[in-house]
């Protein structure tokens, strides 16, 4: 099927079969590789993107279901004040190790701070629970979300 | 240093001809220098004509920090800031970029990146500094000793000039033999906690390129359908049902019959087509054992006389030394197979070059292995095989196998094509979890006899394990008198001075492939030794810290440094003064020449569900080159150790792996672990490992905290052995 995909403010015409996960259209067709393949079953969060502003797992989001939706990926989140604050906090605290999950972590953190600008530690743990980090950078993720929240408040 | 720099005219002439200053090492280890116009030289540092400085990092970056650490060493000695130095990963060349602790092999592992690079990269940076200064001194007509490089400029204190001015002439000089290294009192960057990771910026905006992110023009994606059982061979297959899948190209049996390679235009088509294949397997030589059988064999082995005795004290001597003991503690431990599950599934790409060779694009941990394998499989001389090392999305040991497993698979898949299109091999998470190369399953049985005063009279320790090193190219290095050191490390050569200790080992044949897994043997030995020390202290009615310290007496470095981190962790973790409702456990362990102690604090909710609230860590790893990277490695190592003992195991049913993806091989989640507080011991000793040493003490410290008001967990994972987690 031919699909008009609204991604990062542009409309792309892509050819893909129904049932194709959005992840593979983003990575293999549009060649935006900041969105990662980690598990393919929505259980690690590495593939998280925003669909109309809400974090979703792109490996379990199928292209026939998203016609007309606005998709945002890690590559442009610095254009949004919450995204810029999250990235700045991530940089300041050197959250990353291998870094492979961090696009997804950042996309989820932006989702959290967009709906809850001052999350508690328990709220952070609850919201971020679906984003796995095998390097276990969790305590810095938690601290960076708090720091980003402070940056946005200032 | 002695340099012939009186020929100012020559130097000026040379400045016009050459452009780049390269400083590295010859295969014999001596410093070497040259320019881009000179003979082949693989450098550790490259300074372009415009003064741009680049560190050539010989260790791959899987998150453990060498892109920052090795760059710090060059910048420190060269006199430039971290902002003014770039880095790139070294090509495959074991002549120059070998791991000094591995022999003629280029590779990363065993927590050695800093330990083997510390002097080498400092020397290269210092040599470059001396060469640039020498040229400036010659041009300015002053003595070189009056000049230095400060903030990226050559200066005598008042006059300043950029490095670019001297690069070309310096590139014509021979390397100094023994450049002066900075005294630790002069360090600006080494030991500076404010130095930040060099690889953070691209990893937070999606631009960092991992091997999974490579997309070459005209590439094919290959997925391989492997047998669910080790040793099974393809007997036949049909791709009838795959033919309708858009993007599917074809399938072919790998030459070793270990699987069927499925080629497609893109990843999703390759995965879909692979699912549509039907394959018939020849199981006549396949592994059909279940992990329960292996477990029984291991337990049986630790209850029999060991095949190898490592100590002067025999088992019977250790036993008889316990005659008349007030208490004899006996425990049998079992550790399951574990997968590494790095966040980025395994992948690599092979493309042909116009010069008739190939390039392997890979998050390559041990370049020397795949370099040789590709040369052999593709029938190419070694110099026609290049390796482009990219970022790796974690490893924990998995990307380095003695047989270069996934690179070989890619080479076999590439060899089945006409080589006109690049082939990108992609593993799924299911391939990763079911694909073998696990932390071995291991059993220990320990008997400890205590006298009436609560002192150890004897310690009988038997281990049964699946050997990692036997039958691999590493056997000569790691196996002595039949003992695979990686099966016993951490019990053998423990800093504790234990009277009448017997250590014995028996090998049990693996039912699957086994591999080093973050901290290797220490991943189980620390758990056993530290659980038994804790149980012994408890039985003796003594404080676990005081009890341990009483076996770390004397002024040996191992004992004093182990005692040092133990006391520091106890102090910083408020040992013995846990908040109301919390229990503490402690453990200390030496691995990879570093010393780490950890205090784990847990809570229990009304249903007795355990939560890890806080971990306090003390580490002594010699000179702390990048303190914040060290802290991060401790944090991560602790999470890795704790996460696996909580929930994870790989089991086999008639040879088939029962787990397949994260839902049944559950990673540590953010809510599983609270604050981690890391303290680094100030030290002038040579730097030692940090990637692995945080892991070993974390699991026993958790087990010891659980044992305060709960069971002593001796079989893992904990959730299958009487512990529930919140």
């Amino acid at each position: 099927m031919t699909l008009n995909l609204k991604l990062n403010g542009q409309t792309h015409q892509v050819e893909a079969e129904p049932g194709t996960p959005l992840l593979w259209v983003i990575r293999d067709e549009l060649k935006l590789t900041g969105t990662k393949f980690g598990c393919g079953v929505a259980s690690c969060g590495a593939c998280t993107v925003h669909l109309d502003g809400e974090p979703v797992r792109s490996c379990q989001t199928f292209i026939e279901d998203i016609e007309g939706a606005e998709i945002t990926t890690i590559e442009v989140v610095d254009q949004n004040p919450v995204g810029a604050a999250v990235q700045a906090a991530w940089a300041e605290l050197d959250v990353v190790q291998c870094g492979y999950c961090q696009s997804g972590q950042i996309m989820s953190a932006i989702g959290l701070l967009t709906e809850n600008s001052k999350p508690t530690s328990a709220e952070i743990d609850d919201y971020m629970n679906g984003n796995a980090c095998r390097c276990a950078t969790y305590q810095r993720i938690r601290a960076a979300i708090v720091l980003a929240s402070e940056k946005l408040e200032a | 240093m002695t340099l012939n720099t009186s020929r100012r005219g020559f130097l000026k002439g040379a400045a016009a001809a050459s452009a780049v200053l390269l400083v590295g090492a010859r295969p014999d280890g001596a410093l070497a220098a040259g320019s881009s116009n000179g003979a082949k030289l693989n450098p550790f540092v490259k300074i372009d004509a415009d003064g741009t400085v680049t560190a050539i990092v010989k260790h791959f970056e899987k998150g453990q920090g060498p892109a920052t650490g090795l760059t710090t060493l060059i910048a420190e000695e060269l006199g430039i800031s971290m902002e003014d130095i770039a880095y790139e990963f070294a090509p495959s060349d074991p002549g120059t970029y070998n791991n000094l602790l591995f022999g003629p092999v280029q590779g990363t592992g065993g927590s050695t990146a800093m330990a083997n690079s510390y002097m080498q990269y400092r020397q290269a940076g210092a040599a470059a500094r001396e060469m640039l200064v020498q040229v400036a001194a010659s041009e300015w007509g002053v003595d070189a000793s009056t000049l230095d490089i400060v903030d990226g400029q050559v200066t005598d204190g008042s006059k300043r000039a950029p490095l670019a001015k001297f690069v070309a002439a310096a590139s014509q000089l021979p390397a100094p033999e023994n450049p002066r290294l900075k005294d630790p009192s002069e360090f600006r960057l080494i030991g500076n906690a404010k130095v930040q990771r060099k690889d953070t910026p691209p990893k937070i905006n999606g631009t960092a390129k991992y091997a999974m992110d490579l997309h070459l023009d005209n590439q094919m994606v290959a997925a391989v359908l492997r047998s669910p059982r080790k040793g099974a061979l393809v007997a036949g297959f049909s791709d009838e049902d795959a033919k309708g899948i858009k993007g599917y190209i074809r399938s072919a049996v790998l030459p070793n019959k270990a699987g069927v390679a499925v080629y497609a235009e893109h990843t999703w088509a390759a995965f879909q087509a692979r699912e549509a294949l039907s394959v018939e397997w020849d199981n006549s030589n396949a592994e059909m054992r279940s992990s329960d059988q292996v477990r029984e064999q291991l337990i049986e082995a630790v209850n029999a006389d060991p095949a190898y005795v490592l100590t002067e004290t025999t088992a019977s001597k250790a036993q008889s030394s316990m005659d008349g003991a007030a208490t004899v503690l006996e425990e049998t431990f079992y550790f399951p197979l574990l997968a590494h599950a790095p966040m980025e599934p395994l992948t690599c790409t092979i493309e042909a070059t116009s010069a008739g060779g190939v390039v392997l694009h890979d998050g390559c941990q041990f370049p020397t292995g795949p370099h040789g394998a590709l040369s052999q499989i593709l029938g190419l001389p070694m110099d026609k095989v290049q390796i482009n090392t990219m970022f790796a999305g974690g490893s924990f040991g998995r990307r380095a196998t003695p047989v270069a497993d996934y690179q070989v698979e890619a080479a076999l898949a590439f060899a089945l094509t006409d080589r006109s299109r690049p082939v990108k091999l992609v593993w799924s998470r299911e391939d990763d979890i079911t694909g073998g190369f696990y932390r071995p399953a291991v059993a220990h049985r320990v008997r400890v006899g205590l006298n009436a005063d609560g002192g150890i009279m004897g310690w009988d320790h038997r281990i049964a394990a699946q050997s990692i090193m036997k039958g691999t190219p590493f056997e000569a290095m790691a196996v002595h008198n039949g003992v695979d050191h990686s099966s016993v490390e951490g019990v053998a050569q423990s800093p504790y001075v234990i009277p009448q200790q017997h250590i014995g080992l028996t090998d049990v044949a693996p039912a699957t492939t086994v591999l080093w897994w973050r901290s290797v043997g220490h991943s189980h030995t620390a758990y056993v030794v530290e659980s038994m020390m804790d149980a012994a202290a408890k039985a003796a009615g003594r404080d676990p810290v005081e009890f341990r310290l009483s076996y770390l007496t004397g002024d040996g470095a191992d004992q004093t440094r182990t005692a040092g981190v133990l006391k520091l962790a106890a102090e910083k973790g408020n040992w013995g003064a846990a908040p109301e409702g919390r229990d503490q456990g402690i453990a200390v362990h030496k691995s990879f020449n570093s010393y780490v102690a950890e205090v784990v604090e847990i809570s229990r909710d009304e249903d007795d569900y355990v939560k890890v609230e806080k971990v306090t860590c003390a580490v002594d790893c010699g000179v702390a080159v990048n303190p914040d990277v060290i802290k991060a490695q401790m944090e991560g190592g602790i999470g890795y150790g704790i996460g696996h003992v909580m929930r994870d195991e790989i089991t086999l049913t008639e040879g088939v792996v029962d787990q397949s993806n994260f839902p049944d091989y559950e990673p540590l989640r953010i809510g599983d672990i609270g604050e981690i507080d890391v303290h680094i011991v100030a030290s002038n000793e040579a730097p030692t490992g940090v990637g692995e040493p945080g892991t070993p003490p974390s699991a026993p410290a958790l087990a010891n905290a659980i044992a305060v008001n709960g069971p002593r967990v001796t079989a893992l994972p904990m959730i299958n052995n009487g512990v529930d987690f919140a």
Side-chain angles (χ1 to χ4, degrees), chain A residues 27-28 33 36 43 87 94 98 134 138-139 142, chain B residues 197 200 209-210 212-213 267 668-669 673 676:
Chain A
R27 285 183 57 84
D28 281 3
T33 55
K36 302 302 188 195
S43 134
Q87 283 178 320
D94 265 349
C98 92
R134 295 292 291 162
Y138 297 125
Q139 101 155 353
R142 212 180 279 127
Chain B
R197 291 185 73 103
T200 286
K209 290 292 177 206
Y210 301 80
M212 187 67 87
D213 300 332
T267 320
L668 182 85
R669 302 281 178 175
I673 192 157
I676 303 174

PDB file of all heavy atoms in Angstrom, chain A residues 27-28 33 36 43 87 94 98 134 138-139 142, chain B residues 197 200 209-210 212-213 267 668-669 673 676:
ATOM      1  N   ARG A  27      13.243   3.239   9.907  1.00  0.00           N
ATOM      2  CA  ARG A  27      14.667   2.886   9.830  1.00  0.00           C
ATOM      3  C   ARG A  27      15.116   2.517   8.411  1.00  0.00           C
ATOM      4  O   ARG A  27      16.124   3.026   7.924  1.00  0.00           O
ATOM      5  CB  ARG A  27      14.973   1.699  10.768  1.00  0.00           C
ATOM      6  CG  ARG A  27      15.010   2.078  12.237  1.00  0.00           C
ATOM      7  CD  ARG A  27      15.394   0.885  13.103  1.00  0.00           C
ATOM      8  NE  ARG A  27      16.688   0.329  12.702  1.00  0.00           N
ATOM      9  CZ  ARG A  27      17.853   0.803  13.128  1.00  0.00           C
ATOM     10  NH1 ARG A  27      17.905   1.804  13.975  1.00  0.00           N
ATOM     11  NH2 ARG A  27      18.982   0.255  12.703  1.00  0.00           N
ATOM     12  N   ASP A  28      14.379   1.620   7.778  1.00  0.00           N
ATOM     13  CA  ASP A  28      14.862   1.081   6.499  1.00  0.00           C
ATOM     14  C   ASP A  28      14.420   1.911   5.292  1.00  0.00           C
ATOM     15  O   ASP A  28      15.129   1.950   4.279  1.00  0.00           O
ATOM     16  CB  ASP A  28      14.394  -0.369   6.320  1.00  0.00           C
ATOM     17  CG  ASP A  28      15.251  -1.360   7.114  1.00  0.00           C
ATOM     18  OD1 ASP A  28      16.159  -0.914   7.835  1.00  0.00           O
ATOM     19  OD2 ASP A  28      14.997  -2.582   7.014  1.00  0.00           O
ATOM     20  N   THR A  33      17.838   6.519  11.691  1.00  0.00           N
ATOM     21  CA  THR A  33      18.238   5.365  12.507  1.00  0.00           C
ATOM     22  C   THR A  33      18.385   5.692  13.994  1.00  0.00           C
ATOM     23  O   THR A  33      18.856   4.861  14.764  1.00  0.00           O
ATOM     24  CB  THR A  33      19.544   4.760  11.971  1.00  0.00           C
ATOM     25  OG1 THR A  33      20.525   5.799  11.913  1.00  0.00           O
ATOM     26  CG2 THR A  33      19.343   4.160  10.594  1.00  0.00           C
ATOM     27  N   LYS A  36      15.526   2.921  17.555  1.00  0.00           N
ATOM     28  CA  LYS A  36      16.263   1.648  17.567  1.00  0.00           C
ATOM     29  C   LYS A  36      15.371   0.413  17.599  1.00  0.00           C
ATOM     30  O   LYS A  36      14.281   0.425  18.176  1.00  0.00           O
ATOM     31  CB  LYS A  36      17.189   1.601  18.788  1.00  0.00           C
ATOM     32  CG  LYS A  36      18.199   2.738  18.872  1.00  0.00           C
ATOM     33  CD  LYS A  36      19.105   2.815  17.657  1.00  0.00           C
ATOM     34  CE  LYS A  36      20.220   3.821  17.848  1.00  0.00           C
ATOM     35  NZ  LYS A  36      20.884   4.182  16.595  1.00  0.00           N
ATOM     36  N   SER A  43       8.665  -4.590  24.311  1.00  0.00           N
ATOM     37  CA  SER A  43       9.002  -4.916  25.682  1.00  0.00           C
ATOM     38  C   SER A  43      10.303  -4.271  26.155  1.00  0.00           C
ATOM     39  O   SER A  43      10.724  -4.491  27.289  1.00  0.00           O
ATOM     40  CB  SER A  43       8.966  -6.438  25.800  1.00  0.00           C
ATOM     41  OG  SER A  43       9.979  -6.951  26.421  1.00  0.00           O
ATOM     42  N   GLN A  87      17.198  16.655  26.683  1.00  0.00           N
ATOM     43  CA  GLN A  87      18.520  16.383  26.094  1.00  0.00           C
ATOM     44  C   GLN A  87      19.619  17.111  26.870  1.00  0.00           C
ATOM     45  O   GLN A  87      20.696  16.550  27.098  1.00  0.00           O
ATOM     46  CB  GLN A  87      18.548  16.789  24.622  1.00  0.00           C
ATOM     47  CG  GLN A  87      17.842  15.768  23.731  1.00  0.00           C
ATOM     48  CD  GLN A  87      17.816  16.197  22.276  1.00  0.00           C
ATOM     49  OE1 GLN A  87      17.607  17.377  21.974  1.00  0.00           O
ATOM     50  NE2 GLN A  87      18.004  15.247  21.369  1.00  0.00           N
ATOM     51  N   ASP A  94      25.661  13.069  31.830  1.00  0.00           N
ATOM     52  CA  ASP A  94      26.280  11.937  31.116  1.00  0.00           C
ATOM     53  C   ASP A  94      25.536  10.634  31.417  1.00  0.00           C
ATOM     54  O   ASP A  94      26.102   9.662  31.933  1.00  0.00           O
ATOM     55  CB  ASP A  94      27.758  11.794  31.498  1.00  0.00           C
ATOM     56  CG  ASP A  94      28.671  12.517  30.500  1.00  0.00           C
ATOM     57  OD1 ASP A  94      28.181  12.931  29.428  1.00  0.00           O
ATOM     58  OD2 ASP A  94      29.869  12.665  30.806  1.00  0.00           O
ATOM     59  N   CYS A  98      26.306   2.595  26.677  1.00  0.00           N
ATOM     60  CA  CYS A  98      26.335   2.155  25.270  1.00  0.00           C
ATOM     61  C   CYS A  98      25.448   3.064  24.431  1.00  0.00           C
ATOM     62  O   CYS A  98      25.713   3.300  23.256  1.00  0.00           O
ATOM     63  CB  CYS A  98      25.960   0.692  25.127  1.00  0.00           C
ATOM     64  SG  CYS A  98      24.227   0.320  24.821  1.00  0.00           S
ATOM     65  N   ARG A 134      20.055  -2.060  29.358  1.00  0.00           N
ATOM     66  CA  ARG A 134      20.893  -3.175  29.809  1.00  0.00           C
ATOM     67  C   ARG A 134      22.154  -2.686  30.511  1.00  0.00           C
ATOM     68  O   ARG A 134      22.764  -3.426  31.276  1.00  0.00           O
ATOM     69  CB  ARG A 134      21.252  -4.083  28.616  1.00  0.00           C
ATOM     70  CG  ARG A 134      20.039  -4.778  27.997  1.00  0.00           C
ATOM     71  CD  ARG A 134      19.416  -5.797  28.906  1.00  0.00           C
ATOM     72  NE  ARG A 134      20.262  -6.964  29.093  1.00  0.00           N
ATOM     73  CZ  ARG A 134      20.118  -7.840  30.091  1.00  0.00           C
ATOM     74  NH1 ARG A 134      19.176  -7.654  30.998  1.00  0.00           N
ATOM     75  NH2 ARG A 134      20.917  -8.881  30.174  1.00  0.00           N
ATOM     76  N   TYR A 138      19.808   3.569  35.099  1.00  0.00           N
ATOM     77  CA  TYR A 138      18.532   4.051  35.636  1.00  0.00           C
ATOM     78  C   TYR A 138      18.649   5.208  36.617  1.00  0.00           C
ATOM     79  O   TYR A 138      17.823   6.116  36.604  1.00  0.00           O
ATOM     80  CB  TYR A 138      17.785   2.889  36.292  1.00  0.00           C
ATOM     81  CG  TYR A 138      17.410   1.795  35.315  1.00  0.00           C
ATOM     82  CD1 TYR A 138      17.790   0.475  35.527  1.00  0.00           C
ATOM     83  CD2 TYR A 138      16.663   2.089  34.173  1.00  0.00           C
ATOM     84  CE1 TYR A 138      17.435  -0.531  34.630  1.00  0.00           C
ATOM     85  CE2 TYR A 138      16.312   1.079  33.275  1.00  0.00           C
ATOM     86  CZ  TYR A 138      16.699  -0.220  33.513  1.00  0.00           C
ATOM     87  OH  TYR A 138      16.341  -1.209  32.629  1.00  0.00           O
ATOM     88  N   GLN A 139      19.659   5.169  37.479  1.00  0.00           N
ATOM     89  CA  GLN A 139      19.674   6.243  38.467  1.00  0.00           C
ATOM     90  C   GLN A 139      19.980   7.572  37.810  1.00  0.00           C
ATOM     91  O   GLN A 139      19.482   8.610  38.239  1.00  0.00           O
ATOM     92  CB  GLN A 139      20.596   5.880  39.617  1.00  0.00           C
ATOM     93  CG  GLN A 139      21.941   6.490  39.645  1.00  0.00           C
ATOM     94  CD  GLN A 139      22.424   6.509  41.100  1.00  0.00           C
ATOM     95  OE1 GLN A 139      21.670   6.176  42.016  1.00  0.00           O
ATOM     96  NE2 GLN A 139      23.649   6.885  41.336  1.00  0.00           N
ATOM     97  N   ARG A 142      16.725   8.763  36.129  1.00  0.00           N
ATOM     98  CA  ARG A 142      15.837   9.356  37.133  1.00  0.00           C
ATOM     99  C   ARG A 142      16.309  10.776  37.468  1.00  0.00           C
ATOM    100  O   ARG A 142      15.518  11.723  37.482  1.00  0.00           O
ATOM    101  CB  ARG A 142      15.876   8.472  38.385  1.00  0.00           C
ATOM    102  CG  ARG A 142      14.594   8.419  39.171  1.00  0.00           C
ATOM    103  CD  ARG A 142      14.760   7.512  40.388  1.00  0.00           C
ATOM    104  NE  ARG A 142      14.635   6.106  40.111  1.00  0.00           N
ATOM    105  CZ  ARG A 142      15.537   5.173  40.448  1.00  0.00           C
ATOM    106  NH1 ARG A 142      16.632   5.490  41.102  1.00  0.00           N
ATOM    107  NH2 ARG A 142      15.328   3.917  40.161  1.00  0.00           N
TER     108      ARG A 142
ATOM    109  N   ARG B 197      31.868  12.577  29.056  1.00  0.00           N
ATOM    110  CA  ARG B 197      32.005  11.566  28.002  1.00  0.00           C
ATOM    111  C   ARG B 197      32.080  12.234  26.635  1.00  0.00           C
ATOM    112  O   ARG B 197      31.313  13.137  26.337  1.00  0.00           O
ATOM    113  CB  ARG B 197      30.804  10.621  28.006  1.00  0.00           C
ATOM    114  CG  ARG B 197      30.705   9.699  29.176  1.00  0.00           C
ATOM    115  CD  ARG B 197      29.526   8.749  28.983  1.00  0.00           C
ATOM    116  NE  ARG B 197      29.845   7.758  27.974  1.00  0.00           N
ATOM    117  CZ  ARG B 197      30.183   6.495  28.244  1.00  0.00           C
ATOM    118  NH1 ARG B 197      30.219   6.076  29.494  1.00  0.00           N
ATOM    119  NH2 ARG B 197      30.477   5.659  27.277  1.00  0.00           N
ATOM    120  N   THR B 200      28.691  11.291  24.406  1.00  0.00           N
ATOM    121  CA  THR B 200      27.325  11.652  24.778  1.00  0.00           C
ATOM    122  C   THR B 200      26.566  12.386  23.661  1.00  0.00           C
ATOM    123  O   THR B 200      25.435  11.989  23.343  1.00  0.00           O
ATOM    124  CB  THR B 200      27.307  12.485  26.084  1.00  0.00           C
ATOM    125  OG1 THR B 200      27.572  11.626  27.189  1.00  0.00           O
ATOM    126  CG2 THR B 200      25.959  13.155  26.314  1.00  0.00           C
ATOM    127  N   LYS B 209      26.181   6.274  15.174  1.00  0.00           N
ATOM    128  CA  LYS B 209      25.978   5.157  14.243  1.00  0.00           C
ATOM    129  C   LYS B 209      26.489   3.848  14.849  1.00  0.00           C
ATOM    130  O   LYS B 209      27.687   3.659  15.045  1.00  0.00           O
ATOM    131  CB  LYS B 209      26.709   5.414  12.917  1.00  0.00           C
ATOM    132  CG  LYS B 209      26.078   6.525  12.093  1.00  0.00           C
ATOM    133  CD  LYS B 209      24.700   6.141  11.562  1.00  0.00           C
ATOM    134  CE  LYS B 209      24.067   7.305  10.798  1.00  0.00           C
ATOM    135  NZ  LYS B 209      22.597   7.236  10.797  1.00  0.00           N
ATOM    136  N   TYR B 210      25.559   2.985  15.134  1.00  0.00           N
ATOM    137  CA  TYR B 210      25.868   1.619  15.556  1.00  0.00           C
ATOM    138  C   TYR B 210      25.875   0.750  14.300  1.00  0.00           C
ATOM    139  O   TYR B 210      25.332   1.147  13.259  1.00  0.00           O
ATOM    140  CB  TYR B 210      24.811   1.112  16.535  1.00  0.00           C
ATOM    141  CG  TYR B 210      24.695   1.962  17.784  1.00  0.00           C
ATOM    142  CD1 TYR B 210      23.977   3.158  17.769  1.00  0.00           C
ATOM    143  CD2 TYR B 210      25.323   1.584  18.964  1.00  0.00           C
ATOM    144  CE1 TYR B 210      23.892   3.958  18.909  1.00  0.00           C
ATOM    145  CE2 TYR B 210      25.238   2.370  20.096  1.00  0.00           C
ATOM    146  CZ  TYR B 210      24.520   3.554  20.068  1.00  0.00           C
ATOM    147  OH  TYR B 210      24.442   4.335  21.196  1.00  0.00           O
ATOM    148  N   MET B 212      24.058  -1.609  13.628  1.00  0.00           N
ATOM    149  CA  MET B 212      22.672  -1.822  13.216  1.00  0.00           C
ATOM    150  C   MET B 212      22.165  -0.669  12.344  1.00  0.00           C
ATOM    151  O   MET B 212      21.193  -0.827  11.599  1.00  0.00           O
ATOM    152  CB  MET B 212      21.798  -1.974  14.468  1.00  0.00           C
ATOM    153  CG  MET B 212      20.371  -2.373  14.212  1.00  0.00           C
ATOM    154  SD  MET B 212      20.224  -4.051  13.538  1.00  0.00           S
ATOM    155  CE  MET B 212      20.172  -5.031  15.036  1.00  0.00           C
ATOM    156  N   ASP B 213      22.808   0.488  12.434  1.00  0.00           N
ATOM    157  CA  ASP B 213      22.319   1.676  11.733  1.00  0.00           C
ATOM    158  C   ASP B 213      22.941   1.860  10.351  1.00  0.00           C
ATOM    159  O   ASP B 213      22.612   2.806   9.639  1.00  0.00           O
ATOM    160  CB  ASP B 213      22.614   2.929  12.570  1.00  0.00           C
ATOM    161  CG  ASP B 213      21.931   2.865  13.928  1.00  0.00           C
ATOM    162  OD1 ASP B 213      20.878   2.204  14.020  1.00  0.00           O
ATOM    163  OD2 ASP B 213      22.457   3.452  14.881  1.00  0.00           O
ATOM    164  N   THR B 267      14.953  -5.225   6.336  1.00  0.00           N
ATOM    165  CA  THR B 267      14.956  -6.076   7.530  1.00  0.00           C
ATOM    166  C   THR B 267      13.619  -6.783   7.758  1.00  0.00           C
ATOM    167  O   THR B 267      13.582  -7.974   8.049  1.00  0.00           O
ATOM    168  CB  THR B 267      15.299  -5.239   8.783  1.00  0.00           C
ATOM    169  OG1 THR B 267      16.338  -4.313   8.447  1.00  0.00           O
ATOM    170  CG2 THR B 267      15.757  -6.115   9.918  1.00  0.00           C
ATOM    171  N   LEU B 668      16.511  -5.977  34.218  1.00  0.00           N
ATOM    172  CA  LEU B 668      16.324  -5.059  35.344  1.00  0.00           C
ATOM    173  C   LEU B 668      15.573  -3.838  34.830  1.00  0.00           C
ATOM    174  O   LEU B 668      15.901  -3.316  33.766  1.00  0.00           O
ATOM    175  CB  LEU B 668      17.691  -4.632  35.882  1.00  0.00           C
ATOM    176  CG  LEU B 668      17.686  -3.706  37.096  1.00  0.00           C
ATOM    177  CD1 LEU B 668      17.565  -4.536  38.383  1.00  0.00           C
ATOM    178  CD2 LEU B 668      18.939  -2.846  37.155  1.00  0.00           C
ATOM    179  N   ARG B 669      14.579  -3.404  35.596  1.00  0.00           N
ATOM    180  CA  ARG B 669      13.815  -2.206  35.220  1.00  0.00           C
ATOM    181  C   ARG B 669      14.121  -1.077  36.193  1.00  0.00           C
ATOM    182  O   ARG B 669      14.602  -1.315  37.299  1.00  0.00           O
ATOM    183  CB  ARG B 669      12.313  -2.527  35.239  1.00  0.00           C
ATOM    184  CG  ARG B 669      11.894  -3.657  34.314  1.00  0.00           C
ATOM    185  CD  ARG B 669      11.790  -3.207  32.878  1.00  0.00           C
ATOM    186  NE  ARG B 669      11.435  -4.316  31.993  1.00  0.00           N
ATOM    187  CZ  ARG B 669      11.193  -4.144  30.685  1.00  0.00           C
ATOM    188  NH1 ARG B 669      11.265  -2.945  30.133  1.00  0.00           N
ATOM    189  NH2 ARG B 669      10.884  -5.180  29.932  1.00  0.00           N
ATOM    190  N   ILE B 673      15.511  -0.799  41.243  1.00  0.00           N
ATOM    191  CA  ILE B 673      16.730  -0.434  41.958  1.00  0.00           C
ATOM    192  C   ILE B 673      16.713   1.051  42.308  1.00  0.00           C
ATOM    193  O   ILE B 673      16.369   1.887  41.475  1.00  0.00           O
ATOM    194  CB  ILE B 673      17.979  -0.848  41.138  1.00  0.00           C
ATOM    195  CG1 ILE B 673      19.237  -0.742  41.995  1.00  0.00           C
ATOM    196  CG2 ILE B 673      18.110  -0.074  39.842  1.00  0.00           C
ATOM    197  CD1 ILE B 673      20.376  -1.631  41.489  1.00  0.00           C
ATOM    198  N   ILE B 676      22.212   4.566  43.942  1.00  0.00           N
ATOM    199  CA  ILE B 676      23.530   3.924  44.007  1.00  0.00           C
ATOM    200  C   ILE B 676      24.559   5.018  44.290  1.00  0.00           C
ATOM    201  O   ILE B 676      24.636   6.009  43.561  1.00  0.00           O
ATOM    202  CB  ILE B 676      23.885   3.197  42.687  1.00  0.00           C
ATOM    203  CG1 ILE B 676      22.816   2.150  42.349  1.00  0.00           C
ATOM    204  CG2 ILE B 676      25.257   2.540  42.799  1.00  0.00           C
ATOM    205  CD1 ILE B 676      23.015   1.479  40.993  1.00  0.00           C
TER     206      ILE B 676
END
